[in-house]
């Protein structure tokens, strides 16, 4: 008995992944706006030093390194954090350089989790969660995976830039889009089948 037809293409719409990306970008934009407030800059170093308190001995060298590194230029680094979060938020909303943005945001989120959030402190007394930045990193990794399986995003700046700049897919897509794949140079084009003349038998004189 023959089986039912098997779907050869995607049946689900592509816009949900774009909605997820844009919504996440708005969340990051709100978070970035808070980083521009004077209170963040004034309390930036205190947050880092506070997270170092109560850490186990084997993690103290890590936090001591970041305290010594950031303390002389704490205000500058606070501004850099605000700039980085703003750029990530705008890139998410616009869909600009998605592969590069997702990859950089994963590193940035893990770094924030490992410093300002003290790894979430799941090993310390009274800890109730593992921190938010590591969850952000997981979401960015999920967006990176979605871009691999779903391909180019129509509702993004990348979609239009890829049509103008041949190499842009390298910073926007996790794999080369099928539309951008061109036949190798020198490959002869397939010849169309020979036309058959009605009424003339094959092989007749």
């Amino acid at each position: 008995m023959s089986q039912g037809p098997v779907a050869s293409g995607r049946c689900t719409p592509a816009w949900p992944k774009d909605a997820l990306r844009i919504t996440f970008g708005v969340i990051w934009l709100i978070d970035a706006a808070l980083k521009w407030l004077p209170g963040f800059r004034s309390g930036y170093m205190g947050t880092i030093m506070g997270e170092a308190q109560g850490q186990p001995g084997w993690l103290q060298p890590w936090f001591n390194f970041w305290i010594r590194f950031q303390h002389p230029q704490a205000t500058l680094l606070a501004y850099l954090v605000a700039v980085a979060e703003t750029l990530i938020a705008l890139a998410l909303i616009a869909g600009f350089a998605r592969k590069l943005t997702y990859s950089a945001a994963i590193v940035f989120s893990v770094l924030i989790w490992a410093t300002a959030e003290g790894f979430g402190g799941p090993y310390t007394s009274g800890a109730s969660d593992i921190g938010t930045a590591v969850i952000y990193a997981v979401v960015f990794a999920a967006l990176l995976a979605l871009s691999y399986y779903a391909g180019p995003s129509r509702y993004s700046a990348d979609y239009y830039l890829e049509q103008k700049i041949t190499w842009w897919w390298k910073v926007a897509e996790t794999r080369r889009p099928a539309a951008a794949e061109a036949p190798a140079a020198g490959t002869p084009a397939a010849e169309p089948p020979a036309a058959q003349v009605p009424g003339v038998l094959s092989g007749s004189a």
Side-chain angles (χ1 to χ4, degrees), residues 120-188:
Y123 37 76
T124 58
S125 176
S128 58
D129 57 68
I130 61 171
T132 57
V134 69
I135 299 175
Y136 288 165
V138 172
V139 175
F140 281 118
L143 288 171
L144 199 62
L146 279 174
S147 68
Y148 177 83
Y149 288 105
S153 175
R154 185 175 183 84
Y155 303 102
S156 68
D158 289 334
Y159 180 81
Y160 299 97
L161 288 171
E162 288 173 30
Q163 299 179 30
K164 303 294 183 180
I165 307 173
T166 56
W167 52 265
W168 189 255
W169 67 270
K170 295 181 179 180
V171 298
E173 310 294 344
T174 53
R175 57 189 174 93
R176 188 183 184 94
E181 295 178 357
T187 302

Side-chain angles (χ1 to χ4, degrees), residues 40-41 44-49 51 62-81 108 111-112 114-117:
F40 172 72
R41 294 190 295 275
Y44 176 78
M45 204 62 233
T47 300
I48 303 295
M49 297 176 70
E51 290 297 335
W62 168 261
F63 286 96
N64 290 336
F65 165 76
W66 284 106
I67 291 173
R68 289 194 301 268
F69 174 75
Q70 297 185 81
H71 200 281
Q73 55 269 352
T75 302
L76 173 62
L77 289 171
Y79 274 115
L80 289 178
V81 169
F108 179 78
L111 185 60
I112 294 297
T115 54
E117 293 190 357

Side-chain angles (χ1 to χ4, degrees), residues 13-27 92-95 98 102 139 143 146 153-156:
W15 65 264
K17 66 182 177 63
D18 296 311
L20 172 63
R21 187 197 76 235
I22 294 171
T23 302
F24 197 44
V26 172
I27 294 173
L92 280 171
I93 294 171
R98 286 169 297 127
Y102 299 158
V139 175
L143 288 171
L146 279 174
S153 175
R154 185 175 183 84
Y155 303 102
S156 68

